[in-house]
Amino acid sequence: MQSRNSESGCHCGETAGLQLSGRVNHRKMGWLRMIALVVFSGFAGCASKGPMPSYSTSSLPPMSESGQTESPDRWWTTFNDRELDSQVNRALGENLDLAIALQRLRAAQAVTRREASDLYPDLNGFFVNQNSFGPGPTDSRIDWGLDAAYQVDLWGRNRTRVAAEQLRTEATRADYHAVALTLSAEIARNWFALIEASAQIELLEEQVETNVKGLKAVELRYAEIGEGGSPNVLRQRGLVQSTLEQIIVVKADMEVLEHRLSVLTGQPPQTASYITGSDFPELPPLPYTGLPSELLSRRPDVRAAYLALEAADRDVAVAVRDQYPRLDLSASLVNSAENPETLFRDWFLSIGGQLLGPILDGGQRRAEVDRRKALVCERFAAYRQAILIALQEVEDGLALERYQIERIEKLETQVQLAQLASEQLLQFFITGEATYLDVLSSNQTEQRLQRSLLSARLDLILNRIRLYLALAGDFDTRPDPSLILPPSGPQNLSEITIDVPPQELDAEGAGLQDDTLDRSEPGIDSPEPELPSTFRSVFSEFQSGSEQNIFSP
């Protein structure tokens, strides 16, 4: 009977409360309207968010030079070197710097999902069993139920914060593609440097052979006149040793390049060995540079700077809305019982809300708005700087290639003249019309020019790589299964996926509109990158909660 009375009394209390609320509802609404007017008039003077600074790229002057051939996304394939393609393909599947960039992207996606969780209510369950011991009968009580809380996004603060994190995630994605581009360029540079080193060794071996023949001729010449220990013989021997010393230097550089290439492809450098050949490829036609606006829309570093600017602008909006009142709603459904027999009998429902608004904070929130506005100006300057650097890199690549071609032509002419001079001076030396020092000096000049010509041809290839990198945009970073991969490479490319953050949430979710992200910027819907195969097993163990150290071999 007591429990029934308490249950009945609870319902009566709720009914009385509802009736009283109905009688005074119009009075409460009048007071609420007056309070709202006072509050909103107070917040009308709060700092507001101005428009995001913008920079028009359509009025930029065109590039100084342009070819007619569109370079592919995988620009290194223009060199028609299957081995180079295989090395870049291996690096895309094994390089650990790329794996680090991928994990940064995954972390950014997780932050976006974490921030988006504030757009939904929190629901928790609880169970409390409380026993009191002392004089008299033991008091026991069981409380259990559900507790819900929700922050109403009155001013769009939470939605704007999620939008800012989405933009930062896309900036991180652009950074990932910038790392992939830099990696491909480093592979190509090292590959062609190895080709140049092989060509240098072949040339130096030919020069050693020539110098040894010259030494025999000089020794025979001065032996006939009884001057076997002539300074001229010593000079020729010195030339032979100098050439051999150059071979040692090139071999050392070659081994360092092999180590570097091995690490870039995710392999241990101890057993690095590559057969590159000694022939440079034909220089592909000059690529089409396009309009500056097209270039800037392709470049991932410029896009990352732009997205960072947009995210900072959203942060200002968040800081402005932090000055406005906040409405929190809460509700709980509790079942309370003194013994198991009455466990599901007495239920209590509680619904409430609170409106919180800053009154005095010593100017803290206004200072935060000013700080974030300054960050927007900083990001805007960084964005414009990224634009200028992108344009500079293209112009530098065009200029260096143009002058390097002219330099190679001059070097080829110098080599031909030096060869003729060496042949004629040798004939004059035989007839006694020239000294040995003239012959030696001419040979040294010829051999130096031959080595310089090889280095200049490498520089031409490296300048073209630099130009490709300046013009390049995103590409599919998944390894090409048509290329032969090492046994440690990816075995099943379709097994690896990563979470994609929502590009926009509907009105019932985050409330983001279609203009949350600038769809004119490329790369938003680019293919998802894959985790390097050398990192997959330890990563999957880490994700599954394995206690093994993921950094152990």
Side-chain angles (χ1 to χ4, degrees), residues 36 197 296 316 324 333 381 412 537 540:
L296 300 176
V316 173
Y324 300 158
L333 179 63
E412 289 174 343
S537 60
S540 60

Side-chain angles (χ1 to χ4, degrees), residues 487-507:
S488 61
Q491 301 300 317
N492 189 347
L493 300 177
S494 62
E495 293 179 357
I496 306 302
T497 58
I498 67 174
D499 298 323
V500 183
Q503 299 302 329
E504 64 232 3
L505 303 176
D506 55 23

Side-chain angles (χ1 to χ4, degrees), residues 387-458:
I387 290 175
L388 295 178
I389 290 176
L391 298 175
Q392 177 194 356
E393 288 176 351
V394 175
E395 290 297 323
D396 288 349
L398 293 171
L400 289 173
E401 180 169 320
R402 182 171 62 252
Y403 289 115
Q404 189 67 16
I405 292 175
E406 294 180 8
R407 179 178 176 236
I408 289 175
E409 293 175 354
K410 301 301 181 184
L411 280 173
E412 289 174 343
T413 303
Q414 291 181 68
V415 169
Q416 294 174 359
L417 295 175
Q419 289 174 345
L420 292 175
S422 296
E423 293 173 0
Q424 293 179 10
L425 283 172
L426 181 59
Q427 296 298 323
F428 292 159
F429 173 69
I430 293 174
T431 59
E433 299 179 26
T435 65
Y436 173 75
L437 286 178
D438 294 331
V439 177
L440 181 63
S441 176
S442 179
N443 287 338
Q444 289 175 330
T445 300
E446 177 188 355
Q447 293 178 2
R448 176 181 56 79
L449 288 172
Q450 288 173 339
R451 296 194 292 267
S452 297
L453 181 59
L454 279 178
S455 298
R457 286 172 177 165
L458 172 63

Side-chain angles (χ1 to χ4, degrees), residues 296-299 303 307 474 518-525:
L296 300 176
S297 66
R298 286 194 305 267
R299 295 263 304 221
R303 188 168 64 255
L307 291 168
D474 297 352
D518 186 356
R519 294 296 170 177
S520 64
E521 295 291 332
I524 298 299
D525 300 318

Side-chain angles (χ1 to χ4, degrees), residues 2 22 49 89 104 142 148 163 179 201 364 409 458 502-503:
Q2 289 178 353
K49 176 191 171 300
N89 199 62
R104 290 197 191 102
I142 299 174
V179 171
I201 289 178
Q364 176 183 351
E409 293 175 354
L458 172 63
Q503 299 302 329

Side-chain angles (χ1 to χ4, degrees), residues 535 538 542 548-553:
F535 201 63
V538 292
F542 175 72
Q548 178 183 355
N549 183 359
I550 65 171
F551 299 105
S552 62

